[in-house]
Amino acid sequence: MATAPRRLTFGAHAGAYERARPEWPEEAARWLVPEGAELVVEVGAGTGKLTRAVAALGVRVIAVEPDPRMLAVSRGLGLEGVEGSAEAIPFGDGVADAVVAGSSLHWFELELALPEIHRVLRPGGRFGFGWNHRDDRHPAIARMGEAVYAAQERTAPRWRSREWAAELTATGLFGDVEQALFEHVHDLPREALRDHLMSYSGVAALREEERRWVLTEVAALLDSDESVSSDGRLRLPFVVTAYRATAQRYVGSSTPSP
């Protein structure tokens, strides 16, 4: 039996993802989406965490998600979504004022995805993307990350090893790349820690005994610091590392409009 691509493994833990991943702060969504936008397409939308933050701005946003299990959660929350991928976006040319991607760009085949994203953008449209991640500038979060990644035999998230601005501008399709940070706190019940960890594919892919070790180690680390764990709640420092870029030229073809 063929192994599913890693980016399609999240659906097996869609409930945990929805319950225990953080929401996107309004200020991050507002920064990613241009003022006056009427239609935003989100690629790799998952259960709709960024989708709902964009929708809360009063903008029509359509989620594009390849995993039907993740898409079902998003639709169940009343969000508009279609099955598809960043490499084959099921919309016509120049229909979107912005395309956004939340904590997903590192899963895309960029040589296919970036031209597709560019294609569906109107001339001068915006591509906004970012990662909503634990803020390891906080000592307890740094120790948590060390335990999580030690079990996976790596030291940091894979997306951090890449120069995203350079990858975008190298294509000639995007320019004027900007970066910003948006700090926030992810508040969740202490018992949701397992769901939080399982919502990350690297942890979910571990053997059961390895997952138990990670959960035990992380729980002990967090519980030893009242600034992040107290009164049955976790208050985890998070930060959105966000980028936005402008489409530099337009290429046409013919596919359906939303």
Side-chain angles (χ1 to χ4, degrees):
M1 180 182 296
T3 302
R6 186 75 169 271
R7 68 178 183 175
L8 295 181
T9 61
F10 288 95
H13 305 283
Y17 193 104
E18 176 55 31
R19 288 188 297 272
R21 280 289 186 107
E23 304 298 331
W24 285 67
E26 177 186 344
E27 59 269 28
R30 195 172 296 281
W31 188 84
L32 290 170
V33 175
E35 187 174 355
E38 296 181 0
L39 176 64
V40 174
V41 172
E42 183 186 0
V43 286
T47 64
K49 292 287 185 176
L50 178 56
T51 318
R52 72 198 69 168
V54 173
L57 303 177
V59 181
R60 183 188 179 197
V61 54
I62 305 176
V64 178
E65 167 57 38
D67 192 317
R69 298 165 296 183
M70 300 289 273
L71 184 60
V73 174
S74 177
R75 285 173 168 167
L77 295 168
L79 300 170
E80 187 175 359
V82 297
E83 196 168 333
S85 71
E87 296 82 5
I89 302 172
F91 299 143
D93 299 350
V95 300
D97 298 299
V99 173
V100 296
S103 299
S104 58
L105 190 65
H106 57 295
W107 294 111
F108 301 165
E109 297 178 45
L110 287 193
E111 68 277 11
L112 300 176
L114 291 180
E116 269 293 272
I117 290 166
H118 184 271
R119 179 185 64 77
V120 303
L121 281 169
R122 63 167 176 78
R126 179 178 295 171
F127 177 35
F129 61 95
W131 287 267
N132 193 1
H133 59 98
R134 293 186 299 268
D135 189 350
D136 56 13
R137 295 173 297 183
H138 189 287
I141 300 303
R143 293 193 297 271
M144 176 183 180
E146 289 169 3
V148 168
Y149 295 119
Q152 302 172 50
E153 298 184 345
R154 55 191 177 104
T155 58
R158 293 181 178 90
W159 65 266
R160 289 190 180 179
S161 66
R162 297 170 65 173
E163 296 294 335
W164 295 104
E167 291 195 46
L168 259 66
T169 56
T171 66
L173 297 174
F174 298 96
D176 304 319
V177 182
E178 300 176 82
Q179 183 178 356
L181 299 177
F182 300 90
E183 298 175 4
H184 64 112
V185 173
H186 182 30
D187 189 308
L188 69 165
R190 169 64 176 74
E191 61 267 23
L193 178 59
R194 185 180 189 280
D195 279 346
H196 178 71
L197 293 171
M198 286 294 289
S199 74
Y200 292 90
S201 65
V203 175
L206 295 173
R207 296 191 301 270
E208 181 57 34
E209 61 270 24
E210 293 172 322
R211 288 200 297 265
R212 283 197 299 268
W213 179 87
V214 169
L215 178 59
T216 300
E217 190 75 6
V218 169
L221 286 169
L222 296 181
D223 289 342
S224 69
D225 188 334
E226 290 188 353
S227 72
V228 295
S229 179
S230 63
D231 302 322
R233 305 290 300 180
L234 295 175
R235 298 173 182 85
L236 306 180
F238 263 69
V239 60
V240 172
T241 299
Y243 298 82
R244 63 186 183 186
T246 303
Q248 295 297 290
R249 61 175 186 257
Y250 182 70
V251 181
S253 71
S254 55
T255 48
S257 296

